[in-house]
Amino acid sequence: MKLVLAVLCLAVGASAWPQWLSDSPPDLAHRQQTVNRLLYRSTEPLRFDELEAAAANFHPDADTSLYKDDGVAVKRLLKELEDHRLLEKHHWFSLFNTRQREEALMLFDVLMNSKTWETAVNNAAYFRERVNEGEFVYALYAAVIHSSLGEGIVLPPLYEVTPHLFTNSEVIQKAYTAKMTQTPGKFRMEFTGSKKNSEQRVAYFGEDIGMNVHHVTWHLDFPFWWNDAYGYHLDRKGELFFWAHHQLTVRFDAERLSNNLDVVDELYWDRPIKEGFAPHTTYRYGGEFPTRPDNARFEDVDGIVRVRDMIIHESRIRDAIAQGYITAADGTKIDIRNSEGIDHLGDIIESSLYSPNAQYYGALHNSAHVILGRQADPHGKFNLPPSVMEHFETATRDPAFFRLHKYMDNIFKEHKDSLPPYTAGEIGFPGVHLTSVGVEGKLETYFEDFEFDLKMAVDSSESVNEVDVSATVSRLNHNDFTYKFEIKSDSEEHAVVRVFLCPRRDSNGIIFTFEEGRWHCIEMDKFWTKLSAGANVIKRKSTDSSVTVPDVPSFSTLIAEADKAVAGSSDFDFARYTRSCGIPNRMLLPKGSATGMEFALVVSVTNGESDEQHDALEDATTQSHTLCGIHGEKYPDHQPMGFPLDRRIPDERVFLSSDNNAYTIVKIYFKGEH
């Protein structure tokens, strides 16, 4: 998160660096301003004098003492540039393309190895003008997130930086027309498909641009290519991969139940892909995103991945679950019949560089994205560009994404079901009695219109004036509410309050058993609190959820507020928006129904004494740590993610007989359009 600082400095000058840059690291306002300027119209040449000068006059390898690796990374990138081996500008970029990913990471390496903000900004400006735009944006976002130089920087919303990945092509075309006719416009963006397609009922979830940003940012925070040589370990990354995607899947199921649909079925390699998908999106450079017809059958993708490889790797993973151990590359056995096993399993299923044996177990998740995405042109006959499944920004738009992740989720469940159920002693918290669980305020959801800027979706020209162009899209929101928990404690205790929301009935109206329902539970919040001896009344606002993040301000707002802050006239709270990883807070509740959809609100108060940071966690609100951890630190909760509902509960009395656990039935009402 810290690298972008260096990049921001650059916005102020290269040929004549300002005093604040040469003498000391720039303040946050200047760093934010520089990052804004580097990302502004990223497909066009730099337009800020200081950054232009840096791009023209800086020589990246002139002084290798500026780099932690003595210039190894920058020399490598410069060599590739000089040999004309890098992807040209004005071309699509996909992280799932091995060579393109390598190129983006070459720039990321340069930025991560820059010792100072000035060096990082100089490099960012220099290479922005010379490398592919998609590779530049990806490398810069990743560097801001992971470098110590980027701390405190708010990254602009990607749907305004790279709008073609988030906006229907019909709307983009209207924006171009408005620009050419000099007629400002606000254009309605509809979800893909029609009412003839039952999946249209839940398109508002997978196509929500805030949810898209959460998904891509999670994969930026926990990239599968991460190497600890960059400076730190991504704690429990494999388990977070499981939990973040499990939560996406159960949230999607809750939306389906809200719309009278069955929960999503998993994907099968030997069966047709039932749902086709027409994305209605176009690359800025490279044509339209491919369309997949209904009932397509999986075929090998020439030269990349075979269907039988997917089946073989799946069988090896299931064998590991059945045997209770993973075989590492050196032949040693890694026990997974314990709480840590899920972390190892996540590493091999994704697979990331943390996988102990990628050659044997493959990369089930990453390869699945490619093979599913390429079914429109598996043999390359039509030279189609990558599909929505080959971009983390766009993957959730395709309903088959959730079928794919239900498939992955069921493998994880197979492992979790192989573990012994928790005992009453493991679930209980002696001396702590949860006497009342309730909600203040009616649980109501609605659709509202959201407007976002499209200026960067259309090219600019000195001969054509700028006009205001934007898109409006319907999105889910809910009224704020407050949890109220009454807890009696026999003594002073450090506690963790875990809040889950579980659909009560299936699509046929049949009540789930406790064991059936617990795997469908949505984690709504998890927070630390210090209990006093005696009666405790705890109120927790929905806006404080550790699962969610607020909407990131628009790019134009970030530009204006950073400029004002540089001038000393802004009190804007940048710190509130430093993380984009997290479910949008407005989507904390599933849609529900007009008559009120029943959910079980399940709450467990557990012992937090073993959590190293419990004192700090009790005093602070740490955004979205439940799904996204804390940057550069250990995951704050020592218990398995989803505890105590992550393992089988063959007898619900074991759970409910513990005084620290309780539930109540609530209803969520959908109120239509606002």
Side-chain angles (χ1 to χ4, degrees):
M1 283 212 156
K2 303 154 189 189
L3 180 164
V4 176
L5 303 189
V7 180
L8 289 187
C9 284
L10 223 178
V12 212
S15 55
W17 290 94
Q19 191 70 24
W20 58 262
L21 181 57
S22 57
D23 288 350
S24 61
D27 59 32
L28 179 59
H30 284 95
R31 290 182 281 129
Q32 181 70 54
Q33 183 186 63
T34 305
V35 171
N36 291 345
R37 292 177 173 183
L38 282 166
L39 290 169
Y40 183 75
R41 291 196 175 278
S42 60
T43 60
E44 301 177 16
L46 285 164
R47 57 182 61 199
F48 301 96
D49 292 343
E50 300 85 352
L51 287 173
E52 283 187 66
N57 301 327
F58 180 63
H59 300 286
D61 59 348
D63 182 0
T64 57
S65 69
L66 297 173
Y67 304 96
K68 301 172 189 175
D69 64 347
D70 296 322
V72 172
V74 77
K75 288 179 180 178
R76 179 188 178 202
L77 181 55
L78 285 171
K79 177 63 174 172
E80 296 292 298
L81 182 63
E82 291 164 6
D83 291 347
H84 305 287
R85 286 175 46 81
L86 298 180
L87 180 68
E88 68 266 27
K89 296 174 80 71
H90 295 183
H91 190 285
W92 54 260
F93 161 72
S94 170
L95 193 68
F96 287 93
N97 181 296
T98 303
R99 173 59 188 178
Q100 293 179 8
R101 180 173 68 251
E102 289 173 352
E103 293 178 10
L105 294 185
M106 286 182 205
L107 177 55
F108 174 77
D109 287 348
V110 172
L111 297 176
M112 288 292 286
N113 278 292
S114 297
K115 288 182 178 179
T116 66
W117 172 257
E118 178 181 347
T119 302
V121 173
N122 275 324
N123 276 297
Y126 179 88
F127 287 108
R128 183 190 188 278
E129 301 299 83
R130 292 164 175 83
V131 303
N132 175 267
E133 305 89 344
E135 293 179 355
F136 171 79
V137 170
Y138 184 83
L140 184 57
Y141 267 71
V144 171
I145 289 170
H146 290 287
S147 170
S148 59
L149 293 173
E151 182 136 12
I153 299 298
V154 179
L155 287 165
L158 275 166
Y159 49 78
E160 291 186 339
V161 175
T162 55
H164 283 70
L165 294 176
F166 300 86
T167 312
N168 292 0
S169 51
E170 298 90 342
V171 172
I172 297 289
Q173 182 60 50
K174 290 177 181 178
Y176 267 106
T177 301
K179 178 71 174 287
M180 296 308 296
T181 60
Q182 292 290 283
T183 308
K186 183 190 299 184
F187 309 109
R188 185 83 190 171
M189 185 169 79
E190 303 294 344
F191 299 118
T192 57
S194 70
K195 291 183 179 180
K196 293 181 179 180
N197 180 5
S198 60
E199 295 298 321
Q200 179 75 4
R201 297 185 219 168
V202 287
Y204 65 85
F205 183 82
E207 296 182 32
D208 185 277
I209 57 177
M211 188 63 74
N212 299 157
V213 167
H214 160 62
H215 184 236
V216 66
T217 308
W218 189 95
H219 283 282
L220 278 163
D221 280 16
F222 298 95
F224 61 83
W225 47 260
W226 180 263
N227 189 320
D228 287 355
Y230 289 125
Y232 58 92
H233 181 72
L234 300 178
D235 188 46
R236 293 168 71 175
K237 178 187 179 305
E239 186 177 8
L240 275 164
F241 171 78
F242 150 65
W243 190 241
H245 290 86
H246 170 71
Q247 284 297 296
L248 276 180
T249 305
V250 298
R251 283 182 172 276
F252 185 62
D253 279 345
E255 300 300 340
R256 295 180 70 85
L257 293 172
S258 297
N259 289 279
N260 301 307
L261 295 172
D262 290 336
V263 296
V264 69
D265 190 16
E266 68 175 280
L267 208 61
Y268 299 90
W269 302 120
D270 58 351
R271 299 183 193 176
I273 310 165
K274 182 180 178 182
E275 299 88 6
F277 181 60
H280 288 255
T281 46
T282 305
Y283 284 96
R284 190 179 196 113
Y285 308 108
E288 296 182 353
F289 280 80
T291 293
R292 184 186 65 250
D294 286 343
N295 298 309
R297 286 190 172 273
F298 279 107
E299 296 185 43
D300 296 345
V301 178
D302 292 354
I304 299 178
V305 58
R306 301 177 301 181
V307 176
R308 63 179 172 178
D309 292 333
M310 304 300 294
I311 296 171
I312 290 169
H313 291 144
E314 175 192 339
S315 67
R316 290 173 178 174
I317 292 168
R318 291 190 188 275
D319 284 347
I321 293 170
Q323 294 166 346
Y325 65 85
I326 290 168
T327 302
D330 62 3
T332 58
K333 296 178 179 178
I334 302 172
D335 183 17
I336 59 173
R337 287 271 173 84
N338 50 43
S339 295
E340 294 75 37
I342 190 72
D343 193 39
H344 298 301
L345 197 62
D347 288 338
I348 67 170
I349 287 177
E350 188 178 17
S351 91
S352 69
L353 292 188
Y354 287 1
S355 172
N357 198 347
Q359 183 175 0
Y360 183 71
Y361 294 108
L364 194 65
H365 168 264
N366 296 344
S367 297
H369 268 265
V370 174
I371 196 171
L372 177 57
R374 295 290 180 90
Q375 289 312 298
D377 187 22
H379 309 298
K381 291 173 63 177
F382 309 108
N383 196 30
L384 295 181
S387 75
V388 295
M389 288 299 298
E390 294 169 86
H391 300 273
F392 289 127
E393 297 94 329
T394 56
T396 63
R397 294 170 65 95
D398 188 340
F401 168 88
F402 295 99
R403 291 194 64 194
L404 170 62
H405 277 281
K406 178 61 73 75
Y407 158 73
M408 303 284 175
D409 201 51
N410 285 343
I411 296 176
F412 283 119
K413 186 176 187 296
E414 188 174 321
H415 163 70
K416 283 286 189 177
D417 287 351
S418 74
L419 302 176
Y422 294 117
T423 64
E426 290 172 318
I427 291 176
F429 192 177
V432 173
H433 316 276
L434 179 57
T435 58
S436 176
V437 170
V439 175
E440 294 181 349
K442 199 171 184 180
L443 301 181
E444 292 183 340
T445 66
Y446 54 88
F447 283 119
E448 64 177 7
D449 280 349
F450 174 69
E451 182 178 353
F452 62 99
D453 188 66
L454 290 180
K455 287 193 190 72
M456 276 177 269
V458 297
D459 296 323
S460 65
S461 170
E462 292 181 2
S463 61
V464 181
N465 293 330
E466 293 279 0
V467 296
D468 289 332
V469 284
S470 61
T472 59
V473 62
S474 185
R475 67 180 194 174
L476 188 65
N477 204 339
H478 63 81
N479 293 331
D480 293 340
F481 60 92
T482 302
Y483 303 110
K484 182 180 179 181
F485 309 129
E486 296 181 12
I487 305 170
K488 182 180 179 183
S489 181
D490 295 350
S491 58
E492 190 176 271
E493 299 282 359
H494 294 287
V496 184
V497 181
R498 306 168 189 274
V499 186
F500 300 89
L501 188 70
C502 316
R504 195 174 184 221
R505 301 173 187 271
D506 67 14
S507 58
N508 293 314
I510 300 171
I511 295 177
F512 287 116
T513 66
F514 202 85
E515 166 59 18
E516 291 170 337
R518 56 99 190 171
W519 193 254
H520 295 285
C521 290
I522 297 168
E523 187 167 22
M524 299 289 284
D525 202 355
K526 177 169 59 183
F527 61 95
W528 281 254
T529 188
K530 191 169 186 178
L531 299 176
S532 303
N536 296 263
V537 177
I538 298 174
K539 292 188 177 184
R540 173 83 166 180
K541 295 179 180 178
S542 59
T543 50
D544 292 334
S545 170
S546 64
V547 172
T548 66
V549 291
D551 284 338
V552 177
S554 68
F555 198 176
S556 60
T557 298
L558 289 176
I559 291 171
E561 292 297 338
D563 290 349
K564 287 196 292 185
V566 167
S569 60
S570 174
D571 57 359
F572 186 75
D573 183 11
F574 287 100
R576 185 167 181 242
Y577 306 104
T578 52
R579 292 209 82 178
S580 298
C581 181
I583 301 293
N585 185 266
R586 58 185 171 75
M587 299 183 77
L588 181 61
L589 288 178
K591 177 185 165 189
S593 66
T595 56
M597 181 175 170
E598 289 185 331
F599 288 81
L601 182 65
V602 180
V603 182
S604 181
V605 182
T606 62
N607 195 332
E609 184 65 39
S610 299
D611 296 320
E612 296 176 9
Q613 306 176 60
H614 57 69
D615 287 327
L617 289 163
E618 288 164 3
D619 296 332
T621 299
T622 305
Q623 281 185 352
S624 65
H625 63 73
T626 295
L627 300 179
C628 305
I630 301 174
H631 273 308
E633 299 182 18
K634 282 193 171 185
Y635 191 77
D637 183 10
H638 76 282
Q639 295 285 10
M641 296 173 200
F643 177 85
L645 302 179
D646 60 310
R647 295 193 190 179
R648 290 181 293 117
I649 305 178
D651 188 343
E652 64 189 71
R653 292 173 298 179
V654 174
F655 180 86
L656 296 176
S657 62
S658 299
D659 285 353
N660 58 305
N661 302 315
Y663 78 93
T664 189
I665 302 301
V666 297
K667 288 186 176 183
I668 299 178
Y669 295 87
F670 173 62
K671 292 300 181 181
E673 300 281 346
H674 259 211

